[in-house]
């Protein structure tokens, strides 16, 4: 088993409306739990901005807000734990509730992609590939989700540790093996009770998103379940 444990699915109350723990709290809890790193995957969706006059918000204002939790986590970490930027992306497609964990995201990419929420998975997958990002469908067998075409994904979340949802993780594991998809495990952290329920053990310390994407694609890691 690898020595370096990373949380791959984390939300902060600064950004995600459904989260109840601040970025500072998230950082402290995961340090105490013995993790080497956290990927902040706050919700990137229209619903994230609905408490504002989101129709009249500029894209820059939306990205500034979205990055709030990640930036606060970086400050709170102060070198004590690795904090990386990701997102849980949901496109503005009527009657489709699918969420995608995207790793390798950069601030530059977000600011330069105002069409992001109006895209679909097919088009975004091409953009993600060009920008060296990887896409994992989050909790694909949870009620309300629709399984996406494997050819547009790098992998799926085969273990989602959120105790308030039945994500049918066993079905996700079967699907990943059937379609030769990479697997990821995450706590889906929103509240203190979600702490350390999932994650990935890597053989090396991951300090950058480039390293994270490389190790995910290499596939030599172990899942915490």
């Amino acid at each position: 088993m690898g020595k370096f444990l990373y949380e791959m699915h984390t939300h902060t109350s600064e950004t995600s409306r459904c989260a109840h723990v601040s970025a500072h709290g998230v950082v402290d809890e995961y340090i105490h739990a013995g993790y080497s790193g956290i990927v902040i995957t706050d919700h990137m969706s229209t619903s994230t901005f609905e408490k504002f006059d989101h129709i009249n918000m500029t894209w820059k204002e939306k990205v500034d807000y979205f990055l709030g939790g990640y930036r606060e986590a970086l400050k709170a970490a102060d070198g004590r734990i690795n904090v990386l930027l990701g997102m849980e992306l949901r496109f503005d497609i009527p009657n489709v509730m699918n969420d995608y964990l995207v790793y390798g995201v950069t601030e530059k990419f977000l600011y330069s992609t105002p069409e992001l929420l109006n895209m679909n998975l097919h088009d975004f997958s091409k953009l993600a590939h060009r920008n060296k990002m990887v896409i994992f469908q989050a909790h694909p067998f949870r009620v309300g989700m629709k399984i996406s075409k494997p050819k547009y994904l790098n992998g799926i979340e085969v273990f989602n540790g959120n105790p308030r949802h039945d994500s049918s993780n066993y079905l996700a594991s079967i699907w990943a093996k059937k379609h030769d998809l990479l697997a990821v495990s995450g706590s889906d952290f929103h509240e203190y009770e979600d702490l350390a329920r999932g994650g990935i053990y890597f053989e090396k310390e991951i300090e950058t998103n480039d390293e994270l994407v490389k190790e995910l694609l290499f596939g030599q890691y172990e899942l915490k379940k």
Side-chain angles (χ1 to χ4, degrees), residues 141-143 162-170:
F141 289 94
R142 186 180 289 180
V143 173
N162 191 304
R164 296 172 300 283
H165 293 280
D166 179 4
S167 296
S168 297
N169 291 321
Y170 70 99

Side-chain angles (χ1 to χ4, degrees), residues 6 22 33 37 40 62 72-73 94 145 162 165 171-172 185 222 225:
Y6 280 68
S22 70
I40 303 297
K62 290 180 179 180
E72 286 300 313
M145 305 291 112
N162 191 304
H165 293 280
L171 290 177
S185 165
E222 295 189 37
K225 297 183 179 180

